[in-house]
Amino acid sequence: MMPQGTDDDFWGPPGPVTTEVIDRERNLYRVQFPMPGSYHCPSTGLHFVVTRAVTIEIGFCAWSQHLDKTPLQYMYVVAGPLFDIKAERVAVAAVYLPHFVDLQEGQVDISSFRVAHFQEQGMVLETPARVEQHYAVLENPSFSLVGVVMRMIPGFVRFVPITSITLIYYHFSPRDVTFHLYLVPNDCTIRKAIDDEEIKFRFVRINKPPPVDSLYIGSRYIVSGSRKLTIIPKELELCYRSPGESQLFSEIYVGHMGSGINLQIRDKKSKKLVWETLLKPGDLRLAQLMMPAVHKDIPASLHFVDQHREQLVARVTSVDPLLDKLHGLVLREEEYEAVRAEATTQDKMRKLFSLGRSWNRACKDQVYRALKETHPHLIMDLFEKSGGISEG
């Protein structure tokens, strides 16, 4: 059987390799590749080819803090996320840096692509070894603050086709349902910044497919629904805003959810349908389970794993897969072995919770996610019994 993993893991020869959190507030992460090979992270789009076991640190950064300070800011435009990568240079044969320019249109001159390095002396531009559909590739790379840019003729930015994503978030209350809808370039640092902002206000993301066709920076799009909805504003501009800036979105007030809602985005000029999705009551329930925070009616000091400790001890049926997911993230080696040494499933869970006295909220979030992946039906049942959203 293939090992379980998530889109935030790096996938390579051994299967999924977990990305560790160094500092969530500063967006710093670490991944330890155990053997040579090619490793790809679906969430960030980063791809490393390594020649031996190596540890790599990755930070998510904002272009506005760096590109705006260079004299080349009007000659080059952002074409992908900005990362702060630290690794032993000799251990990395190649790095694939993601970009969001759509090359399938045949309108883009790939010779205009550069990789920007931000160093002490300023911004240094490097010509990539090659440019692929979703990546600019550096071979035998040096590391710093790095990201993909394009040399651009002023006034022609709006003619560059890009891949984009739609992000939908909802907030539930007993009286009404509110959605936030974003249309942004396919940049993982923007997506993460929006996720972090929305979760502060207890909005939960609903995963839906992105637009299929390429769109254009500076173009305007109209948001509409299949029934009477309050949408403010109804018009969205697709633009690049650095992760540190406020992003544009439409707020959609539904009232009673009832049946499903069909949402559409059309090009303002051509009226062409560029994106469509169906939001169902079941989407709300599933998305709420992805929320690593407590339920809206539960005091903020009481986390899900604390609230349901007794039930989790009694009803978790398989502890070892749970421990495997927590090993290295929440549990040290000696803690991992101490829990496994207990005789019964209940004793193992009691031992696990006894170690949890020192857990902060981030650790409890990791436990919640691991429980949700290993015991999804149990977590769904506990969630609904505590007042979670059910269909209808």
Side-chain angles (χ1 to χ4, degrees):
M1 294 179 62
M2 289 294 292
Q4 292 184 345
T6 71
D7 284 351
D8 293 324
D9 297 331
F10 276 84
W11 291 78
V17 180
T18 301
T19 303
E20 306 169 37
V21 179
I22 299 177
D23 189 328
R24 193 176 299 276
E25 292 295 320
R26 296 169 56 205
N27 288 319
L28 296 177
Y29 302 85
R30 178 191 297 118
V31 60
Q32 301 181 54
F33 298 140
M35 63 180 68
S38 178
Y39 296 84
H40 173 250
C41 177
S43 178
T44 64
L46 278 171
H47 182 170
F48 294 94
V49 178
V50 300
T51 57
R52 57 179 174 81
V54 63
T55 298
I56 297 178
E57 294 185 1
I58 303 165
F60 295 81
C61 305
W63 282 98
S64 57
Q65 300 175 6
H66 305 280
L67 185 61
D68 293 354
K69 299 176 183 179
T70 73
L72 299 175
Q73 61 176 302
Y74 300 111
M75 297 174 60
Y76 288 86
V77 295
V78 173
L82 181 65
F83 301 102
D84 185 6
I85 300 175
K86 296 180 174 65
E88 294 180 61
R89 181 174 180 178
V90 294
V92 181
V95 59
Y96 292 63
L97 297 171
H99 68 76
F100 50 70
V101 179
D102 191 346
L103 302 184
Q104 290 183 351
E105 292 286 324
Q107 303 176 22
V108 180
D109 179 7
I110 62 173
S111 67
S112 64
F113 279 77
R114 295 290 184 274
V115 173
H117 294 261
F118 292 95
Q119 302 170 348
E120 291 183 2
Q121 65 269 33
M123 185 173 79
V124 177
L125 297 172
E126 180 180 358
T127 301
R130 59 186 180 278
V131 176
E132 300 181 356
Q133 175 60 29
H134 301 291
Y135 304 98
V137 184
L138 295 181
E139 296 178 346
N140 301 313
S142 60
F143 290 114
S144 60
L145 281 166
V146 291
V148 183
V149 295
M150 285 184 64
R151 187 177 181 90
M152 187 52 56
I153 301 173
F156 279 81
V157 176
R158 66 176 59 245
F159 298 107
V160 176
I162 70 164
T163 59
S164 60
I165 53 174
T166 47
L167 300 173
I168 309 173
Y169 302 82
Y170 90 94
H171 185 278
F172 176 86
S173 73
R175 295 184 179 180
D176 55 57
V177 174
T178 301
F179 296 96
H180 288 172
L181 174 62
Y182 295 79
L183 179 63
V184 293
N186 186 14
D187 181 321
C188 65
T189 59
I190 295 176
R191 184 182 68 241
K192 187 178 186 307
I194 294 174
D195 277 345
D196 292 344
E197 182 68 14
E198 288 289 339
I199 204 169
K200 291 178 185 177
F201 300 98
R202 307 190 68 78
F203 277 75
V204 187
R205 176 145 62 94
I206 299 175
N207 290 316
K208 292 293 181 179
V212 174
D213 296 331
S214 58
L215 303 181
Y216 294 84
I217 293 289
S219 296
R220 293 179 176 270
Y221 300 89
I222 303 299
V223 181
S224 63
S226 58
R227 70 181 202 226
K228 187 176 181 180
L229 304 172
T230 302
I231 304 174
I232 304 174
K234 293 183 178 180
E235 183 177 311
L236 285 176
E237 179 183 356
L238 178 58
C239 58
Y240 183 88
R241 292 192 173 190
S242 192
E245 303 176 60
S246 296
Q247 305 292 328
L248 303 177
F249 67 90
S250 287
E251 184 171 67
I252 303 170
Y253 171 75
V254 177
H256 178 62
M257 184 68 178
S259 59
I261 297 170
N262 184 262
L263 288 180
Q264 297 181 339
I265 298 178
R266 293 182 180 272
D267 185 279
K268 183 180 180 180
K269 284 186 176 180
S270 68
K271 310 301 181 185
K272 177 184 176 182
L273 181 67
V274 299
W275 178 80
E276 183 176 26
T277 196
L278 176 65
L279 293 174
K280 307 178 297 296
D283 290 330
L284 308 192
R285 182 177 67 174
L286 293 174
Q288 188 84 347
L289 282 176
M290 300 300 292
M291 185 74 166
V294 295
H295 185 259
K296 60 183 183 349
D297 294 326
I298 301 171
S301 60
L302 190 61
H303 196 280
F304 182 94
V305 297
D306 296 320
Q307 181 197 7
H308 299 288
R309 171 174 176 156
E310 183 178 349
Q311 286 291 314
L312 292 170
V313 169
R315 297 176 61 185
V316 165
T317 57
S318 182
V319 182
D320 285 353
L322 174 65
L323 298 179
D324 290 340
K325 287 187 173 295
L326 299 178
H327 184 256
L329 293 176
V330 175
L331 299 176
R332 299 190 300 273
E333 179 66 29
E334 58 271 22
E335 294 173 329
Y336 172 84
E337 294 296 341
V339 176
R340 290 197 65 197
E342 296 293 331
T344 68
T345 302
Q346 286 73 28
D347 287 340
K348 289 181 180 181
M349 288 301 293
R350 291 190 186 98
K351 181 66 175 180
L352 177 64
F353 276 112
S354 73
L355 300 172
R357 299 188 187 99
S358 62
W359 292 343
N360 57 21
R361 179 163 293 275
C363 290
K364 292 176 182 179
D365 288 349
Q366 294 279 6
V367 175
Y368 172 85
R369 283 192 283 269
L371 283 165
K372 182 166 60 64
E373 291 175 12
T374 56
H375 295 76
H377 298 295
L378 170 59
I379 300 305
M380 173 79 78
D381 182 61
L382 293 177
F383 189 84
E384 291 184 346
K385 286 180 177 178
S386 66
I389 297 168
S390 60
E391 290 193 14

